[in-house]
Amino acid sequence: QVQLRESGGGLVQPGGSLTLSCSASASFDRHSAWGWYRQAAGKERELVAVISAGTIKQYGDSVKGRFTISKASETTLVLQLNNLKPEDTAVYSCNLRTYDKRIDSWGHGTQVTVSS
């Protein structure tokens, strides 16, 4: 099993930016989905952004045009959050799931708070 760890969360004013990072403990098969989810207090968890098959990027409707997902290396996933809004406040978690289901890992999560 691959272990994931998120970092980069914090407090930011509306309109500001943050960069989140997810580090994997080992390399893995590219036949996978590696991405970010978030869960606000009292809300359901939702997809933020994901990279599938190593290259295909998808974004949740609420973050399109503001967030960017990328791989800084084969074992580091980055989420750039721009033009942040109060409704972006949530715990952001990294998930890695291989298509053969040999791996389904979650990080511990990192808190993002957007407030003036």
Side-chain angles (χ1 to χ4, degrees):
Q1 191 74 264
V2 176
Q3 295 182 352
L4 306 175
R5 181 173 292 275
E6 306 94 336
S7 62
L11 175 64
V12 64
Q13 294 184 339
S17 299
L18 280 176
T19 302
L20 305 183
S21 180
C22 173
S23 297
S25 62
S27 60
F28 48 87
D29 198 310
R30 286 197 174 189
H31 297 289
S32 62
W34 195 15
W36 294 90
Y37 291 76
R38 69 185 183 186
Q39 186 169 24
K43 304 293 185 180
E44 295 294 314
R45 185 175 62 194
E46 65 176 341
L47 173 69
V48 177
V50 63
I51 297 178
S52 299
T55 58
I56 307 302
K57 300 178 181 179
Q58 296 174 288
Y59 296 91
D61 289 341
S62 63
V63 307
K64 287 181 179 178
R66 298 189 298 119
F67 293 6
T68 302
I69 190 170
S70 63
K71 292 171 66 177
S73 73
E74 291 303 306
T75 54
T76 303
L77 183 71
V78 173
L79 182 69
Q80 179 66 47
L81 299 78
N82 297 318
N83 191 25
L84 284 160
K85 304 175 180 180
E87 52 262 43
D88 294 319
T89 296
V91 174
Y92 287 69
S93 299
C94 182
N95 172 252
L96 174 64
R97 184 183 304 109
T98 57
Y99 299 150
D100 64 7
K101 299 185 179 180
R102 290 182 178 272
I103 299 175
D104 186 2
S105 297
W106 289 88
H108 54 75
T110 185
Q111 176 72 47
V112 172
T113 301
V114 184
S115 177
S116 59

